[in-house]
Amino acid sequence: LTQRGRIEFARGGGRINTDALDNSAGVDCSDHEVNIKILLDRLVAAGDLDRGGREALLVEMTEEVADLVLADNRDQNAVLGIARSHAPEMVRVHGRMVADLVARTGLDRELEVLPDEAGFADLAAAGLGLTSPELATLLAHVKLDLTRRLLDTELPDVPAFAGRLAEYFPRPLRERFPAAVAGHPLRREIVTTMLVNEMVDGAGISYAFRLGEELAAGPADAVRAYAVTTAVFELPALWAAARSVEVPIAVADRIILDSRRLLDRASRWFLTNRPQPLAVGAEAARFTATVRALRSQLSELLCGREREAVTAGAEALQAQGAPPELARRSAELMYAYGLLDVVELTELSERDREPRDAREVAELYYALSEHLGIDLALTSVTALQRGDRWHGLARLALRDDLYGSLRAITLDTLREAAPGTPAVEAIAQWERANASRLVRARAALHEIGTAGQLDLATLSVVSRQLRGLAR
């Protein structure tokens, strides 16, 4: 089939990718073979391994190499499947990605049979997205571009990432020849390929591009943010559970897409709020233990509408075939995002006065979120029309303002109340101390409590009023 034939077949409901993607296991196997033989031949030349030992070792590693290759290809097919499931919603982003690749790398739309700007506009108007063959082409170019750009940085040499080189090789090589593995002449290329595959397959085709659009973050920043966020929220374990045989594919895709919303927001949080470039090991160590402990208590910490939303979400996922624990964890994902602020608020409050327990800070944070109607405002932001890039950036700014106001008000409240004060009483004390400002904000806060869907104008006013409540 030609690429145009594949696209036409896919538009008609056919299931097809590209030859390159469907044959990628063979290419991946060849890559492993070449990289392993480079290492073994260096050992033979140095006298550390004889020819007979080399041949025996190759035979011994055959099945493990196959497992490594198939794992890579399962992940690549999984990201493509999820991309197909929400291609219409992402068509404008994909259009901007292709335009960016054309401008920076010389991507030839005609040769690759990708839509021009008018073609992307037509797809968006028709409620359509790229087909699987087109997505496979975009996926390949994104990975190639990220790999080239990362090789021009120091990232492959950073210990947090360079130390992962051994994961590429079968166990017998790792265990018998660790020094030879660490000194592989193509170690930077291997590490970079691993990092790009992991990030794109886990976070999606557009993850790094969107971070670049939103924050001017480079590929190295994206890899660091991905590594920290997935570690802190233990997302690979969630993805593995979602892809288990007992979960229907459509439900697994939904859970993974929802988890990517958390991944996107938390990545932006780390890139905005922590020193740059991110120290991956230090940041993961700083946040993981507290986030993990509080995440297991979210069902108790959430209040009112937020708790109801989690319950309803978990029940809906269970009704579609998700196991209870996976359904609950998935439904709580977006509310776990606030735990990053809780960790920082706990540390900030400790500098001001007596040490605070993270659980106490979390209780106050989520109680204030319910009290101020933050969740309804955030839900309304999510429901705003996506539109072009500027609509997207406006939505991000509104969301960041809402979270920023909640964080600042929580810190103010902590400063007003003595340690151990129940959340309800602490909020009452804060309101008494801020009575004059609250009078001006009451109308906007009342709007949150009584309205259904808030529009952009209302949300902008609400956000400003909440920002004015924080000292």
Side-chain angles (χ1 to χ4, degrees):
L1 293 172
T2 65
Q3 179 69 345
R4 294 187 190 281
R6 294 187 195 99
I7 293 169
E8 183 178 344
F9 181 59
R11 288 271 176 231
R15 300 192 178 211
I16 190 168
N17 296 316
T18 58
D19 288 349
L21 189 133
D22 288 332
N23 193 40
S24 63
V27 176
D28 194 356
C29 188
S30 296
D31 286 346
H32 275 79
E33 179 185 358
V34 169
N35 288 324
I36 287 170
K37 286 181 176 178
I38 287 172
L39 188 152
L40 292 179
D41 290 347
R42 284 164 63 90
L43 289 168
V44 170
D48 296 324
L49 185 68
D50 60 28
R51 285 285 169 184
R54 174 188 183 278
E55 304 309 316
L57 194 52
L58 284 171
V59 172
E60 179 186 350
M61 294 187 296
T62 300
E63 290 303 318
E64 189 174 351
V65 169
D67 290 340
L68 291 168
V69 167
L70 291 173
D72 288 344
N73 280 264
R74 276 192 293 271
D75 289 343
Q76 185 160 261
N77 276 275
V79 70
L80 196 56
I82 295 170
R84 286 194 298 267
S85 74
H86 71 140
E89 293 91 336
M90 296 300 293
V91 68
R92 293 182 187 275
V93 176
H94 292 157
R96 298 199 299 273
M97 290 179 71
V98 170
D100 175 65
L101 287 167
V102 169
R104 284 191 306 99
T105 72
L107 172 71
D108 188 328
R109 293 179 192 258
E110 186 174 354
L111 180 65
E112 300 294 353
V113 197
L114 288 167
D116 57 17
E117 292 185 10
F120 273 109
D122 290 343
L123 288 174
L128 299 173
L130 294 179
T131 62
S132 198
E134 293 166 304
L135 289 167
T137 298
L138 182 58
L139 173 69
H141 281 280
V142 165
K143 286 187 172 183
L144 288 169
D145 178 53
L146 288 171
T147 300
R148 283 193 296 266
R149 293 165 71 191
L150 282 170
L151 281 170
D152 289 335
T153 73
E154 84 293 343
L155 193 80
D157 306 309
V158 172
F161 299 113
R164 297 189 53 193
L165 174 65
E167 297 172 20
Y168 177 85
F169 293 97
R171 186 177 298 278
L173 275 184
R174 299 200 304 260
E175 293 178 348
R176 289 180 56 185
F177 305 105
V181 166
H184 197 289
L186 296 177
R187 56 188 176 277
R188 296 185 88 255
E189 288 78 5
I190 294 171
V191 167
T192 301
T193 300
M194 288 173 60
L195 295 175
V196 168
N197 282 336
E198 183 179 280
M199 178 177 69
V200 176
D201 293 347
I205 298 173
S206 66
Y207 169 79
F209 173 76
R210 286 181 289 106
L211 286 179
E213 269 197 334
E214 295 155 7
L215 302 176
D221 297 318
V223 171
R224 289 174 184 272
Y226 176 86
V228 174
T229 302
T230 52
V232 169
F233 290 99
E234 300 175 293
L235 292 179
L238 175 77
W239 296 334
R243 288 177 179 147
S244 68
V245 292
E246 58 186 311
V247 181
I249 290 294
V251 178
D253 286 352
R254 182 75 263 156
I255 290 172
I256 292 169
L257 276 174
D258 286 344
S259 76
R260 286 188 187 167
R261 291 173 59 207
L262 170 64
L263 175 56
D264 289 346
R265 292 187 193 180
S267 296
R268 289 195 299 270
W269 191 96
F270 279 112
L271 291 171
T272 303
N273 292 285
R274 301 300 303 147
Q276 302 299 308
L278 281 170
V280 174
E283 296 296 346
R286 182 169 184 252
F287 286 88
T288 299
T290 303
V291 168
R292 180 185 299 163
L294 293 176
R295 204 181 66 223
S296 67
Q297 304 170 40
L298 267 178
S299 58
E300 305 164 21
L301 293 169
L302 295 174
C303 313
R305 186 183 186 279
E306 296 180 355
R307 182 181 291 181
E308 292 168 5
V310 167
T311 300
E315 289 174 351
L317 285 171
Q318 278 187 253
Q320 295 168 44
E325 177 59 24
L326 178 62
R328 179 196 62 78
R329 186 177 171 198
S330 177
E332 290 176 348
L333 277 175
M334 288 314 303
Y335 297 100
Y337 168 74
L339 295 175
L340 298 176
D341 278 337
V342 168
V343 172
E344 290 232 310
L345 286 166
T346 302
E347 295 178 359
L348 287 170
S349 64
E350 288 175 356
R351 295 173 200 163
D352 289 344
R353 50 198 306 173
E354 298 174 45
R356 299 275 185 162
D357 179 69
R359 164 78 189 222
E360 179 186 349
V361 175
E363 287 176 351
L364 179 60
Y365 180 90
Y366 288 110
L368 274 166
S369 180
E370 168 65 18
H371 183 70
L372 297 170
I374 298 293
D375 185 57
L376 177 57
L378 289 168
T379 302
S380 295
V381 171
T382 300
L384 289 174
Q385 181 181 0
R386 290 184 177 271
D388 60 18
R389 178 195 175 198
W390 299 108
H391 284 91
L393 291 175
R395 292 165 70 245
L396 287 176
L398 266 176
R399 188 180 291 118
D400 288 346
D401 279 351
L402 290 167
Y403 279 118
S405 295
L406 175 58
R407 172 180 165 136
I409 292 169
T410 303
L411 185 59
D412 280 352
T413 308
L414 286 167
R415 287 169 173 162
E416 292 290 344
T421 304
V424 173
E425 186 178 332
I427 293 171
Q429 289 181 21
W430 172 78
E431 289 198 326
R432 286 194 294 272
N434 294 273
S436 60
R437 281 184 293 171
L438 271 170
V439 169
R440 295 192 296 271
R442 285 293 181 194
L445 296 178
H446 179 73
E447 188 83 30
I448 295 178
T450 57
Q453 173 66 40
L454 304 176
D455 60 20
L456 179 60
T458 306
L459 283 165
S460 298
V461 173
V462 166
S463 174
R464 182 169 182 173
Q465 293 289 352
L466 285 171
R467 197 162 59 245
L469 290 175
R471 283 179 287 185

